Amino acid sequence: MQEVTSITDVIIAIGDKNAGDAVHTILRGDDRFRSMRVTSANTLIAKLQHESWGCLVACEDFDGVNHHGLVSLIRSGDICPMALPIVIITSDDNGDNDRFSKSYAVTTLQYKNIDQIADKIRVAIKDTPKPRLLIIEDDPDYLDQIRDYLSGAFSVQTALSGQTGLDIFEKESADIIITDYMMPGISGADVTSEVRKLDNLIPIIALTAHAEPKTHTELTVSGVSRFMSKKASLTDIEKACRELYLESAFDKESARARQSHNDKDRLLTVMNAARSEIKSGRHQVAQHRLASAVAALGDENSE
C-alpha cells in the first residue's frame, strides 16, 4: 500500500516581491505543500482568523506590522491556534532573533538561504509543540469537559486526585497547571505548595466553587497564579491559560537573560583581577582565578 503523505497549507506574508515569489515557487514545486501569498496585513489577519493553516511564513515587517507583534498575537491564541508553526524570514542572524525564537517557538531563516524554506517549514512544524497542560480535577465529568475543550490548544494530561497530579508533574513536568481547590486528601492549595517547591514560575490556576475571601487567601498564600470560579466559561478558562502561559514564557526568558548578563559581569570581574595578577607576575594565581570562574559558571549552567 502506498504511503499517504500529508499536505501542509502554508500562508506567505512577505513584502519583498522577489523573496515572496521565490518562496511561493519553491513550495508550489513540492507536493508536500500548498501555498498562498497575501499582500496586506488585513488580509493576513482575516485568513488566519477564518481559515486553517499548517504554517505561516512571514518577513520581519509585513505591511507595517512588526513580526514581534504578529507572533505575540498568534501565540496569544486570539486569532488562530496558538501552536501555529511560524517561519520568519530575517535580514541577518543575531542574538535578538535567537532569543525571540526561543521565547515564542519561532523558526528563522535568512533571505540569503531562501532556498531552504521547505526544510525550515518542516523544522517549524516539528519544533512547535503545544504547551503542556496538567488538569487535576476529582469530578470526572467536569474533567472530561475541560480536557476536550482545551486539547485543541494544549497537550493535555489529566489526574483525578491531587497526589496523582503531583506524581505526573514530578515525572513529566508541565507548562501550566489547572487544579480543583476542594479535593479529598490533597487539596488544590496543597498541590500548589508542593509544586512551588519544584518550580516557582509555572502558572497555576485554581478552580473553586467557593468565593469566600478565606479561600482566596489560602490559595494566594500557597502560590496560585490565578483563581477562577467553576462557573466560568471554558472560553474564559482557555483565555486565562493562554495569557498565563505567555507571561510565564516571557518571565523565564527574562530570567535567563538576566542570568547571562550576571555571568558576563562576574567573568569580567575575574578577568580584570587576573590581569592585575599577571602584571604582578603571579601567572599561576591568575590562571587559577580564571579556571575556577569558568568551572563555576559551567556547573551553574548544567544545573
Side-chain angles (χ1 to χ4, degrees), residues 115-134:
D115 59 320
Q116 301 174 14
I117 185 62
D119 290 336
K120 282 295 183 178
I121 290 174
R122 306 310 296 179
V123 169
I125 293 172
K126 176 178 175 292
D127 292 346
T128 312
K130 294 180 181 179
R132 299 165 298 165
L133 169 64
L134 172 60

Side-chain angles (χ1 to χ4, degrees), residues 252-266 296-297 300-301:
K252 289 179 179 178
E253 184 59 29
S254 296
R256 283 194 291 267
R258 287 194 301 271
Q259 182 61 47
S260 176
H261 180 74
N262 291 339
D263 289 346
K264 291 178 181 177
D265 285 347
R266 288 161 54 193
L297 289 176
E300 290 178 4
N301 291 332

Side-chain angles (χ1 to χ4, degrees), residues 7-284:
I7 298 176
T8 300
D9 290 309
V10 181
I11 185 166
I12 304 169
I14 300 175
D16 182 273
K17 186 178 185 304
N18 291 333
D21 287 345
V23 170
H24 195 35
T25 299
I26 292 170
L27 297 184
R28 287 174 60 188
D30 191 322
D31 58 10
R32 295 175 297 176
F33 305 102
R34 283 190 298 257
S35 61
M36 171 183 285
R37 282 193 68 188
V38 294
T39 57
S40 73
N42 288 335
T43 302
L44 173 63
I45 298 301
K47 290 287 185 182
L48 291 175
Q49 284 180 315
H50 302 297
E51 299 175 13
S52 178
W53 297 95
C55 185
L56 165 67
V57 178
C59 57
E60 291 176 292
D61 290 282
F62 175 69
D63 192 28
V65 176
N66 183 271
H67 68 291
H68 288 80
L70 176 62
V71 171
S72 298
L73 179 63
I74 291 171
R75 292 292 179 251
S76 74
D78 288 336
I79 63 170
C80 64
M82 64 188 297
L84 174 70
I86 301 172
V87 177
I88 298 295
I89 310 297
T90 65
S91 55
D92 56 14
D93 190 13
N94 57 50
D96 289 339
N97 283 332
D98 186 54
R99 286 190 293 273
F100 179 77
S101 300
K102 290 180 180 177
S103 298
Y104 289 95
V106 172
T107 300
T108 58
L109 176 67
Q110 293 182 351
Y111 279 101
K112 65 182 181 181
N113 299 321
I114 207 83
D115 59 320
Q116 301 174 14
I117 185 62
D119 290 336
K120 282 295 183 178
I121 290 174
R122 306 310 296 179
V123 169
I125 293 172
K126 176 178 175 292
D127 292 346
T128 312
K130 294 180 181 179
R132 299 165 298 165
L133 169 64
L134 172 60
I135 306 174
I136 306 171
E137 167 61 59
D138 66 335
D139 181 338
D141 293 333
Y142 187 53
L143 178 63
D144 288 344
Q145 289 181 37
I146 303 177
R147 180 200 61 207
D148 292 345
Y149 189 85
L150 297 182
S151 59
F154 298 89
S155 175
V156 180
Q157 288 187 299
T158 61
L160 284 167
S161 71
Q163 185 59 61
T164 302
L166 287 173
D167 290 342
I168 292 174
F169 181 74
E170 289 179 3
K171 292 178 181 177
E172 304 182 34
S173 190
D175 296 309
I176 185 168
I177 294 174
I178 295 176
T179 181
D180 185 15
Y181 168 61
M182 289 293 292
M183 295 184 291
I186 298 179
S187 69
D190 295 332
V191 167
T192 302
S193 296
E194 291 301 312
V195 168
R196 286 288 175 244
K197 295 177 182 178
L198 302 173
D199 190 328
N200 197 43
L201 293 179
I202 183 172
I204 303 176
I205 297 175
L207 299 177
T208 174
H210 305 275
E212 294 87 353
K214 180 181 178 182
T215 299
H216 294 169
T217 300
E218 180 184 3
L219 289 169
T220 301
V221 170
S222 71
V224 161
S225 308
R226 187 176 300 182
F227 44 80
M228 301 183 70
S229 169
K230 283 196 169 184
K231 296 180 181 179
S233 68
L234 294 176
T235 300
D236 286 340
I237 293 174
E238 180 187 14
K239 182 179 180 181
C241 287
R242 292 192 272 106
E243 290 175 351
L244 290 172
Y245 171 73
L246 282 180
E247 290 175 8
S248 173
F250 178 80
D251 289 343
K252 289 179 179 178
E253 184 59 29
S254 296
R256 283 194 291 267
R258 287 194 301 271
Q259 182 61 47
S260 176
H261 180 74
N262 291 339
D263 289 346
K264 291 178 181 177
D265 285 347
R266 288 161 54 193
L267 189 56
L268 181 60
T269 299
V270 172
M271 289 176 66
N272 288 333
R275 287 194 186 99
S276 298
E277 299 291 356
I278 291 173
K279 290 179 181 179
S280 301
R282 294 189 289 269
H283 294 79
Q284 288 186 339

